[in-house]
């Protein structure tokens, strides 16, 4: 409803938010790559794609923008579906401006925290993308707690060559100690379900091949007990 879009847009603009309005989910999806949304306010019942389908499509495209769902129905089934979909909030018409602004403010705060996390992970992925397959293998063996001579035996080379690979891993990953390397590799591995990252003003980043190599090494070479 264009009138509702204008009214809610005006409420948000008066609070200093930059607002874009769309009268269909497809219109939003067609434009989404041209700006960075920190909150989506979507009516649940819409023609073609409803608010829940819009939320699913947004996440399928690699985004995780929090969504505030708006509905007039108020039925339990719709509420449950929205919450299972990861709704930031769920507003039933009629609602006042204060409730709407509170829901948006909470969603924006959540989005900004998520964006900081994505930026951090994206930076880590960029470091990992610089590793060659052999360096990724050495990285996995180093993180598993293996000594240089053990790594040399595992990959069929000399300790001197391992030291060179190890130094390059540390330099490319931007770390100065084994403890730092372990922490950032663990951070990357915790996000094993993430395949693509969308960050502010950035093209999509695909999961580095080096991570799959490191995971394979760690499955083959369990970490020593007593490792940090």
């Amino acid at each position: 409803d264009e009138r509702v879009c204008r009214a809610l847009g005006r409420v948000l603009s008066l609070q200093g938010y930059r607002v874009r309005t769309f009268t269909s989910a497809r219109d939003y999806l067609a434009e989404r790559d041209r700006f960075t949304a920190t909150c989506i306010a979507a009516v649940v019942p819409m023609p073609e794609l409803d608010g829940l389908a819009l939320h699913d499509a947004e996440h399928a495209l690699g985004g995780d923008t929090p969504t505030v769902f708006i509905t007039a129905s108020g039925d339990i089934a719709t509420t449950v579906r929205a919450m299972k979909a990861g709704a930031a909030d769920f507003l039933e018409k009629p609602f006042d401006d204060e409730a709407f602004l509170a829901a948006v403010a909470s969603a924006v705060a959540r989005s900004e925290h998520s964006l900081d996390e994505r930026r951090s992970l994206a930076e880590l992925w960029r470091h990992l993308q610089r590793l060659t397959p052999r360096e990724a293998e050495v990285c996995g063996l180093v993180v598993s707690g293996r000594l240089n001579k053990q790594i040399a035996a595992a990959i069929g080379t000399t300790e001197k060559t391992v030291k060179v690979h190890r130094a390059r891993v540390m330099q490319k990953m931007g770390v100065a100690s084994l403890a730092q390397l372990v922490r950032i590799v663990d951070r990357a591995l915790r996000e094993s379900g993430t395949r693509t990252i969308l960050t502010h003003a950035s093209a999509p980043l695909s999961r580095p091949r080096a991570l799959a190599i490191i995971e394979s090494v760690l499955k083959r070479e369990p970490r020593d007990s007593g490792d940090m």
Side-chain angles (χ1 to χ4, degrees):
D1 188 317
E2 289 186 10
R3 290 174 299 176
V4 173
C5 283
R6 285 197 300 269
L8 294 181
R10 190 161 50 247
V11 168
L12 292 170
S13 295
L14 288 172
Q15 296 299 313
Y17 291 105
R18 287 177 293 174
V19 184
R20 295 194 63 168
T21 60
F22 302 88
T23 54
S24 78
R26 293 196 187 281
D27 287 346
Y28 164 76
L29 292 171
E31 296 282 331
R32 66 183 291 280
D33 290 337
R34 300 184 183 182
F35 59 92
T36 301
T38 53
C39 173
I40 298 171
V43 175
V44 174
M46 287 191 288
E48 297 185 17
L49 283 179
D50 66 14
L52 294 168
L54 167 62
H55 177 82
D56 291 343
E58 167 75 11
H59 282 243
L61 291 168
D64 61 354
T65 306
T67 304
V68 175
F69 290 103
I70 299 169
T71 185
S73 63
D75 64 275
I76 295 176
T78 300
T79 304
V80 170
R81 283 176 61 209
M83 292 307 172
K84 284 185 175 180
D89 213 326
F90 189 91
L91 298 176
E92 182 180 352
K93 295 179 182 178
F95 52 83
D96 57 32
D97 291 351
E98 287 74 17
F100 179 60
L101 289 170
V104 169
S106 177
V108 168
R110 173 174 156 184
S111 183
E112 289 174 344
H113 175 74
S114 177
L115 182 57
D116 287 342
E117 289 291 307
R118 290 202 308 276
R119 283 173 175 158
S120 173
L121 184 59
E123 184 63 22
L124 174 51
W125 278 16
R126 291 188 185 100
H127 284 296
L128 285 163
Q129 286 172 338
R130 299 174 61 197
L131 299 182
T132 65
R134 178 47 62 93
E135 288 166 354
E137 184 179 18
V138 169
C139 180
L141 288 164
V142 169
V143 168
S144 74
R146 299 300 180 264
L147 302 175
N148 287 346
K149 64 180 180 180
Q150 295 173 316
I151 297 173
I155 65 176
T157 190
T158 65
E159 283 189 59
K160 183 178 179 180
T161 300
V162 169
K163 288 179 181 178
V164 171
H165 286 314
R166 185 168 180 157
R168 287 176 178 165
V169 168
M170 302 292 278
Q171 184 267 325
K172 289 182 179 180
M173 295 301 293
V175 297
S177 69
L178 174 58
Q180 285 180 295
L181 182 65
V182 170
R183 280 198 296 271
I184 64 173
V185 168
D186 281 347
R187 162 80 199 288
L189 293 174
R190 282 198 302 272
E191 305 290 343
S192 59
T194 305
R195 298 297 173 212
T196 305
I197 298 177
L198 289 176
T199 59
H200 179 65
S202 296
L205 287 176
S206 296
R207 193 170 190 264
R209 181 187 173 197
L211 261 182
I213 296 173
I214 292 170
E215 285 177 326
S216 176
V217 169
L218 290 175
K219 286 178 182 177
R220 187 177 76 240
E221 304 280 347
R223 299 190 191 195
D224 288 338
S225 59
D227 247 9
M228 63 199 75

